[in-house]
Amino acid sequence: MAIWHEDDEFWRTAISGELRERWDAAPGEVEKAMALLDIEPPAAVLDLCCGIGRHSLDLARRGFAVTGVDRTRDLLEEARRLADADGLAVELVEQDMRAFRRPGAFDAAISMLTSFGYFEDPDEDRLVVRNLYDSLRSDGAVLMDLMGKENLARIFTPRDWRERGDETWLFERKVTDGWSWMENRWIVIKDGQRKEFQLSHRLYSAAELSGLFKDCGFGSVEVYGDLDGAPYDHEAKRLVVVARK
């Protein structure tokens, strides 16, 4: 059985509901991310784990030179179709985030919507961050957006459900290993058919994630509570880290 993040069926299902419904939010997210990174077109931007290109395509529309990287071929093919339909030039690379490294190629990199922390071995997370460091130019920066441990502890719900059109999505969550790991079960019901997925990922606090970036060579790390640049405090919605070389 494939590891969940290497299961193409999981990503096809996730894109059909959980992620595609966020499409309209992408322009606002890109605008805010670029402001925090303090970069402008035609800077070269890496979109790591780009999926179907929610952010890559909007970056290209704004005049950035964009490289989107993802391991799932189906998602990249959809991103390519959408880019071609809009006449956008986006480089799309099929590669695992642990393997992608292009020394000194980018002014900035983004990793959005908890696209990090998938691997049981923390050294593999460290490898991803080191690859990001190596892939940035001397004054480059990376923005990572995820759900921080502190955010999750405040709003944690072990079970909930959502309706999306003719689909019902059921979610079950369990925190393990001393609040370092999250186990998830997703059930999708449509037309009497049921799909179930098990997925899991590492939980990072702001201090833990900042420390990881500093250990991998980044000179400064800023922490925010959302893409608007709010403080990372008891009201933070997300954990947003901007790390500069």
Side-chain angles (χ1 to χ4, degrees):
M1 183 176 178
I3 301 171
W4 74 267
H5 52 78
E6 297 178 356
D7 180 1
D8 291 356
E9 177 63 18
F10 166 77
W11 290 113
R12 283 191 291 267
T13 302
I15 290 297
S16 74
E18 179 72 6
L19 302 183
R20 192 180 290 277
E21 71 178 12
R22 301 173 183 265
W23 186 270
D24 292 342
E29 292 169 353
V30 166
E31 184 172 352
K32 294 171 183 178
M34 295 305 102
L36 287 177
L37 287 165
D38 192 24
I39 62 168
E40 297 179 352
V45 180
L46 167 64
D47 183 4
L48 191 63
C49 301
C50 66
I52 58 173
R54 280 197 319 131
H55 300 102
S56 292
L57 271 61
D58 191 76
L59 285 163
R61 287 190 190 95
R62 295 168 188 264
F64 290 96
V66 186
T67 298
V69 175
D70 204 283
R71 65 150 303 279
T72 306
R73 182 171 301 176
D74 287 357
L75 306 190
L76 289 177
E77 288 177 352
E78 175 70 356
R80 189 169 290 110
R81 184 189 69 78
L82 292 167
D84 290 346
D86 285 353
L88 298 172
V90 180
E91 180 191 16
L92 296 168
V93 179
E94 182 183 344
Q95 198 162 20
D96 189 292
M97 70 175 100
R98 291 166 289 188
F100 183 82
R101 178 178 174 273
R102 191 177 291 178
F106 302 103
D107 299 294
I110 59 173
S111 172
M112 306 292 286
L113 200 63
T114 311
S115 297
F116 181 75
Y118 294 168
F119 312 117
E120 292 188 14
D121 184 349
D123 285 341
E124 294 188 303
D125 284 356
R126 184 176 300 275
L127 174 61
V128 173
V129 175
R130 186 68 201 187
N131 287 343
L132 283 167
Y133 180 89
D134 291 344
S135 296
L136 292 172
R137 293 170 181 159
S138 59
D139 57 349
V142 58
L143 182 148
M144 183 172 286
D145 155 56
L146 44 75
M147 181 60 74
K149 187 183 297 187
E150 300 92 341
N151 315 97
L152 190 62
R154 187 181 73 246
I155 66 170
F156 183 77
T157 304
R159 296 178 186 85
D160 65 5
W161 60 280
R162 299 175 203 167
E163 291 182 344
R164 296 190 173 104
D166 58 354
E167 296 180 344
T168 301
W169 289 58
L170 311 174
F171 303 93
E172 185 175 71
R173 309 172 185 90
K174 181 180 180 182
V175 175
T176 62
D177 294 341
W179 269 95
S180 67
W181 196 255
M182 171 74 82
E183 301 283 352
N184 301 273
R185 183 165 69 127
W186 290 11
I187 298 173
V188 184
I189 301 171
K190 179 179 180 180
D191 299 330
Q193 301 295 312
R194 180 181 184 275
K195 295 180 181 179
E196 180 172 333
F197 302 98
Q198 304 280 345
L199 53 148
S200 57
H201 61 89
R202 189 170 306 283
L203 298 175
Y204 282 96
S205 69
E208 289 165 343
L209 193 60
S210 298
L212 175 59
F213 275 89
K214 289 177 181 177
D215 287 347
C216 290
F218 285 89
S220 70
V221 182
E222 302 156 353
V223 179
Y224 303 100
D226 59 26
L227 288 171
D228 289 312
Y232 192 75
D233 58 17
H234 64 287
E235 296 181 343
K237 299 184 179 97
R238 303 285 294 175
L239 169 53
V240 178
V241 165
V242 176
R244 303 182 187 279
K245 288 186 79 169

